[in-house]
């Protein structure tokens, strides 16, 4: 007599409970163990304020995590080199990316081909801070106000050049938006690294830059650069004499970018949540406000991964529309 074979199906509720318990156990284990070795944070701006702010954050994280947190700069290519290095790293939380809207929202619409997909290959952790922009010019430029600058460029702009930290980067897109909305001409000159850009701006080899206030502040004090206007509803503490765009006669102008933190897609949710929690505490500390927020003009955010992801989705929609309207294409 043949022995019958049969299986007893498990109720779906039991399967869900067992699966949930397994995932929870694995997730808690990943959280409890992280980090067990040094963590690397990659970004594209050596010598820039972003680098200084990030090194402070890395130092504080290393104290909390009891592991070294290393800052690795991969400049150039509108953050593509830095972003690609992280996108292709192991999804374990030990290699992180810090970048701006260049990587998170702009590049996919500016370049016909990328080595990775920022939306697909990087998981959002948190928006670190907003960066209000200002218009910076060398003191030798015959324009002491934003209105004088616009008038000069409307009349003779073809003879002048403006700088950026790379084609497609935040200050390139912001300046193109400003230039087109106020109807003046200038020629774009992209730079790979900030120090050379600042040398040429101070020397007058380029005549304007849209960037964060900290970029200009030390040189304004020395009399080598002038800031014509800043974004925001109030003046920056580090440049109290500089008017806002509204005070300068352009209430509709608001130039700013953001800086965010991400990990390779597939990084455990528990690890992402832990990184966000520890970073948020640092961002909201009095020390960060005193050493980064006030002098750099940065506005700390610290949004959770879900809110940062929703923010990026909205920003990608507006970035696509803006880039198409400006007819910007890098290749």
């Amino acid at each position: 007599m043949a022995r019958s074979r049969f299986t007893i199906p498990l109720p779906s509720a039991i399967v869900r409970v067992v699966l949930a318990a397994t995932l929870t156990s694995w997730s808690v284990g990943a959280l409890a163990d992280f980090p067990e070795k040094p963590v690397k944070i990659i970004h594209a701006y050596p010598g820039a304020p972003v680098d200084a702010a990030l090194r402070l954050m890395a130092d504080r994280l290393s104290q909390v995590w009891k592991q070294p947190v290393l800052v690795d700069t991969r400049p150039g290519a509108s953050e593509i080199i830095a972003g690609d290095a992280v996108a292709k790293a192991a999804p374990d939380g030990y290699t992180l990316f810090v970048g701006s809207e260049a990587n998170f929202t702009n590049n996919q619409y500016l370049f016909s081909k990328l080595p990775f997909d920022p939306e697909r290959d990087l998981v959002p952790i948190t928006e670190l801070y907003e960066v209000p922009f200002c218009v910076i010019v060398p003191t030798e430029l015959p324009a002491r106000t934003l209105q004088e600058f616009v008038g000069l460029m409307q009349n003779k702009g073809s003879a002048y050049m403006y700088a950026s930290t790379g084609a497609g980067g935040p200050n390139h897109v912001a300046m193109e938006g400003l230039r087109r909305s106020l109807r003046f001409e200038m020629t774009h000159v992209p730079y790979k690294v900030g120090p050379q850009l600042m040398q040429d701006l101070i020397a007058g080899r380029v005549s304007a830059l849209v960037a964060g206030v900290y970029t200009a502040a030390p040189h304004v004090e020395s009399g080598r650069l002038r800031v014509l206007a800043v974004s925001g509803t109030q003046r920056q503490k580090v440049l109290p004499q500089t008017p806002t765009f509204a005070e300068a006669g352009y209430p509709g102008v608001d130039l700013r970018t953001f800086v965010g933190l991400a990990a390779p897609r597939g990084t455990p949710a528990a690890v992402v949540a832990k990184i966000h929690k520890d970073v948020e505490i640092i961002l909201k500390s009095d020390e960060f406000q005193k050493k980064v927020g006030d002098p750099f003009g940065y506005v700390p955010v610290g949004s959770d991964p879900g809110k940062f992801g929703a923010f990026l989705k909205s920003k990608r929609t507006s970035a696509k529309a803006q880039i198409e309207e400006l007819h910007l294409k890098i290749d």
Side-chain angles (χ1 to χ4, degrees):
M1 180 176 177
R3 182 178 298 175
S4 62
R5 295 182 180 180
F6 62 93
T7 58
I8 301 176
L10 286 173
S12 59
I14 295 177
V15 173
R16 287 196 297 270
V17 169
V18 172
L19 179 59
T22 302
L23 291 176
T24 300
S25 175
W26 174 80
S27 183
V28 170
L31 177 60
D33 294 339
F34 183 86
E36 295 182 298
K37 61 182 180 179
V39 175
K40 181 187 295 184
I41 305 177
I42 298 176
H43 75 97
Y45 301 104
V50 167
D51 185 64
L54 181 53
R55 289 181 188 278
L56 173 64
M57 187 179 79
D59 181 68
R60 298 303 176 265
L61 283 174
S62 67
Q63 295 176 18
V64 173
W65 290 344
K66 310 301 182 186
Q67 292 286 348
V69 179
L70 311 173
V71 177
D72 183 355
T73 56
R74 309 281 181 95
S78 193
E79 302 181 12
I80 294 173
I81 297 171
D84 187 47
V86 177
K88 291 182 170 62
D92 52 14
Y94 289 97
T95 304
L96 305 175
F97 171 78
V98 164
S100 70
E101 63 187 85
N103 170 82
F104 285 113
T105 66
N106 292 356
N107 286 345
Q108 58 191 308
Y109 308 117
L110 290 165
F111 295 87
S112 59
K113 200 171 186 180
L114 292 173
F116 72 103
D117 183 333
E119 186 172 359
R120 180 195 65 208
D121 298 331
L122 294 174
V123 59
I125 297 177
T126 185
E127 181 186 356
L128 295 172
Y129 39 79
E130 285 188 344
V131 183
F133 276 159
C134 59
V135 177
I136 310 165
V137 300
T139 51
E140 67 176 31
L141 190 75
R144 300 191 63 84
T145 67
L146 185 58
Q147 290 186 346
E148 290 178 358
F149 172 80
V150 172
L152 177 64
M153 296 309 153
Q154 287 175 336
N155 291 323
K156 301 179 179 179
S158 58
Y160 291 93
M161 297 178 290
Y162 75 88
S164 82
T165 52
N171 44 24
H172 175 212
V173 174
M175 186 60 167
E176 277 298 294
L178 180 69
R179 184 182 71 77
R180 299 198 186 199
S181 66
L182 301 185
R183 301 179 184 277
F184 63 83
E185 296 296 325
M186 290 189 85
T187 300
H188 174 224
V189 180
Y191 287 77
K192 186 175 181 179
V193 294
Q196 183 61 51
L197 184 161
M198 294 306 297
Q199 290 177 19
D200 285 357
L201 183 64
I202 291 169
R205 287 186 282 271
V206 289
S207 299
L209 169 69
V210 167
V213 297
Y214 183 77
T215 302
H219 307 294
V220 170
E221 293 177 4
S222 67
R224 294 182 291 180
L225 292 177
R226 182 181 298 125
V227 178
L228 304 181
V230 299
S231 284
T233 57
Q234 58 186 12
R235 299 187 180 194
Q236 293 286 332
K237 289 184 179 181
V238 71
L239 292 173
Q241 303 304 316
T242 300
T244 64
F245 280 103
E247 291 173 327
Y250 299 90
V253 174
D254 184 22
L255 307 177
R256 66 184 64 224
T257 189
F258 66 90
V259 175
L261 179 67
R265 181 65 61 182
T267 300
V271 172
V272 169
K274 175 174 176 54
I275 295 171
H276 161 254
K277 178 183 176 182
D278 293 339
V279 167
E280 183 184 27
I281 291 171
I282 294 169
L283 290 174
K284 295 186 176 180
S285 68
D286 291 339
E287 180 190 33
F288 194 86
Q289 184 62 45
K290 181 178 179 181
K291 294 184 177 180
V292 174
D294 292 341
F296 292 3
Y298 293 173
V299 182
V301 179
S303 53
D304 64 45
K307 288 183 179 179
F308 186 35
F311 170 77
L312 291 180
K313 183 177 180 180
S314 174
K315 288 290 289 184
R316 287 179 183 122
T317 299
S318 59
K320 183 176 186 291
Q322 181 186 26
I323 289 168
E324 288 178 350
E325 181 182 353
L326 296 174
H327 304 292
L328 293 178
K329 202 69 180 175
I330 306 303
D331 57 1

